[in-house]
Amino acid sequence: MTIHKLYLELTNRCNLNCSICYRHSWDEKPQDMDRKIFYKVLNEINGMKNLKSVVLGGIGEPTCAPLIYEAIEALGDYYLTLTTNAINIDDELSGLIAKYVNLFMVSVDGLHENYMKIRNTDLNAVINNIDRINTIKEKTGKSSPYLGLQLVLSMDNAGDILKMIDLADALKAHKLVLSNLLPQIRENTHKILYTRYENKYVKDLFKQAVKYSFNKGINLVLPNCELKTERRCSFVEEQAAFINAGGEMVPCYRLSHTYKEYVFGREKTVLKHSFGSLHEKHLIDIWESERYSRFRSVVSNNRYPSCIDCDYVEGCDLVKDTSCDCYTGSPSCADCLWSRKLIICP
């Protein structure tokens, strides 16, 4: 199995302190990707014929990384996605984005009042930066970068969905992606909109949003709002490799750092899981290692338990972290809300 998609986390730092962020439950030191590691990656992917897509993103904000300018230019031959809060964008970066980026994915977690509450900054700064890039596109006659907006849904901002569709329309967005809140602190556990079983309120809300977005011509991507049997991992299915800011190959966003999450109110420690460091090994050697290949096979074939709807979950010690599950899988994906499409990666 070859690599088709590559995620590069250029930094784990961020310029914001959002109320729903992973950083509220971790103690990692700020870290930028080492320049030598970045250029080692560039060297090693050169000639990978099946690699078509690169994502500059991760848990950190890529525009905070010292490498961001040269990274965008160096990766311009791939289908390049930039996931960002779009606060830190100067004129030079705007020009590079307009020239090289294919998908400009901006996280906007609510309209003006809710955005300020969640992110403690002004949404107008984001809108102005998007407008600047749109102006460059119009002047150059380019169709890309396509603009995507993402909204992490919770009780705090559910009322903003239709207005977010209006904003997406006004900003000429290609799509609007709705995801769900994964609480990192206990105080946020009551704010989730998804449920295990029947969820008429959110279903009705989504039906209204689908109709409204259709009339506006906006591609609306929706998460599940209740637990479904089907499990799928986009990282495994898309044959995606993820290099975090420390230069380690990790399976996905969820397992890229150590932090706490609350799965339907139940506290869990998610442990960073590295399959190898690029400081010590070659990218393709880590990807093709027996351990990583076996992990991808287990996930792809759904050969792991489902803690979320297990009758014994309340008395089980294995659900306390992701180190192992009752099928002896390690790391454990048995509580992953991404696999249930309750959480969506951009």
Side-chain angles (χ1 to χ4, degrees):
M1 181 183 285
T2 57
I3 299 172
H4 287 182
K5 190 173 186 178
L6 179 66
Y7 288 79
L8 290 177
E9 184 183 65
L10 298 179
T11 183
N12 67 9
R13 295 185 295 117
C14 190
N15 53 324
L16 299 180
N17 184 29
C18 302
S19 62
I20 59 174
C21 184
Y22 289 78
R23 287 171 181 75
H24 292 292
S25 65
W26 74 359
D27 57 3
E28 287 191 24
K29 293 180 180 179
Q31 185 176 26
D32 298 317
M33 181 174 284
D34 187 282
R35 185 176 298 274
K36 289 181 181 177
I37 292 297
F38 175 72
Y39 280 99
K40 180 179 180 180
V41 171
L42 281 188
N43 253 357
E44 295 196 15
I45 64 175
N46 185 28
M48 284 188 182
K49 295 180 180 179
N50 291 310
L51 178 63
K52 306 297 183 185
S53 176
V54 176
V55 179
L56 296 177
I59 305 304
E61 167 52 44
T63 62
C64 290
L67 284 166
I68 185 61
Y69 297 91
E70 56 199 288
I72 290 176
E73 191 166 9
L75 294 163
D77 288 338
Y78 298 93
Y79 187 93
L80 185 59
T81 298
L82 176 66
T83 65
T84 174
N85 57 40
I87 294 287
N88 242 6
I89 298 179
D90 58 23
D91 288 341
E92 181 183 358
L93 192 52
S94 296
L96 288 171
I97 291 169
K99 185 175 182 179
Y100 295 108
V101 171
N102 298 96
L103 177 59
F104 181 46
M105 199 72 206
V106 180
S107 179
V108 183
D109 290 329
L111 267 294
H112 295 275
E113 184 178 347
N114 283 325
Y115 187 88
M116 177 61 75
K117 286 179 182 177
I118 294 169
R119 303 212 150 186
N120 197 33
T121 191
D122 189 357
L123 179 59
N124 284 320
V126 177
I127 293 172
N128 290 339
N129 286 335
I130 292 173
D131 281 339
R132 187 189 308 132
I133 292 168
N134 281 340
T135 298
I136 298 171
K137 275 175 57 179
E138 289 171 6
K139 286 181 178 178
T140 57
K142 289 186 63 183
S143 59
S144 63
Y146 297 108
L147 172 65
L149 301 181
Q150 183 172 36
L151 172 67
V152 175
L153 282 173
S154 69
M155 292 289 188
D156 289 339
N157 60 14
D160 285 347
I161 294 177
L162 299 187
K163 292 178 181 178
M164 276 294 299
I165 295 170
D166 287 334
L167 179 63
D169 181 42
L171 293 174
K172 303 175 183 176
H174 175 67
K175 64 179 177 179
L176 171 62
V177 178
L178 303 187
S179 186
N180 276 305
L181 173 68
L182 179 57
Q184 313 299 317
I185 55 175
R186 192 172 295 279
E187 289 76 8
N188 284 341
T189 56
H190 70 282
K191 296 181 180 181
I192 63 172
L193 290 171
Y194 48 96
T195 59
R196 281 190 177 87
Y197 308 112
E198 182 66 21
N199 195 338
K200 188 175 185 307
Y201 166 69
V202 178
K203 280 184 174 178
D204 289 344
L205 189 65
F206 283 178
K207 283 180 183 177
Q208 185 182 9
V210 167
K211 182 178 179 181
Y212 194 74
S213 64
F214 181 79
N215 290 333
K216 290 281 185 176
I218 299 295
N219 178 20
L220 183 66
V221 180
L222 295 173
N224 285 336
C225 61
E226 55 194 30
L227 198 62
K228 302 290 185 183
T229 301
E230 182 183 24
R231 297 186 298 181
R232 303 180 70 171
C233 175
S234 61
F235 281 89
V236 170
E237 288 189 355
E238 294 178 358
Q239 296 174 220
F242 189 132
I243 309 299
N244 71 7
E248 298 167 292
M249 186 177 286
V250 294
C252 58
Y253 280 142
R254 182 175 182 248
L255 296 167
S256 61
H257 300 277
T258 296
Y259 60 92
K260 288 192 185 297
E261 67 181 18
Y262 289 84
V263 182
F264 290 102
R266 172 170 41 82
E267 182 181 302
K268 188 181 194 81
T269 300
V270 177
L271 301 170
K272 178 185 72 177
H273 190 91
S274 171
F275 283 103
S277 171
L278 268 72
H279 290 278
E280 302 166 357
K281 300 178 180 179
H282 293 294
L283 186 154
I284 198 65
D285 291 339
I286 301 172
W287 175 261
E288 292 180 346
S289 67
E290 182 183 352
R291 193 163 61 100
Y292 198 4
S293 298
R294 185 170 61 247
F295 169 80
R296 292 195 301 271
S297 176
V298 166
V299 173
S300 178
N301 290 290
N302 273 287
R303 298 183 66 85
Y304 61 99
S306 174
C307 299
I308 300 171
D309 45 9
C310 176
D311 291 338
Y312 306 107
V313 67
E314 297 304 329
C316 180
D317 285 339
L318 293 175
V319 300
K320 292 181 179 179
D321 62 41
T322 57
S323 58
C324 187
D325 59 44
C326 60
Y327 288 12
T328 70
S330 180
S332 173
C333 299
D335 254 341
C336 179
L337 298 185
W338 278 266
S339 71
R340 303 300 187 114
K341 204 186 169 185
L342 292 167
I343 314 292
I344 296 180
C345 293

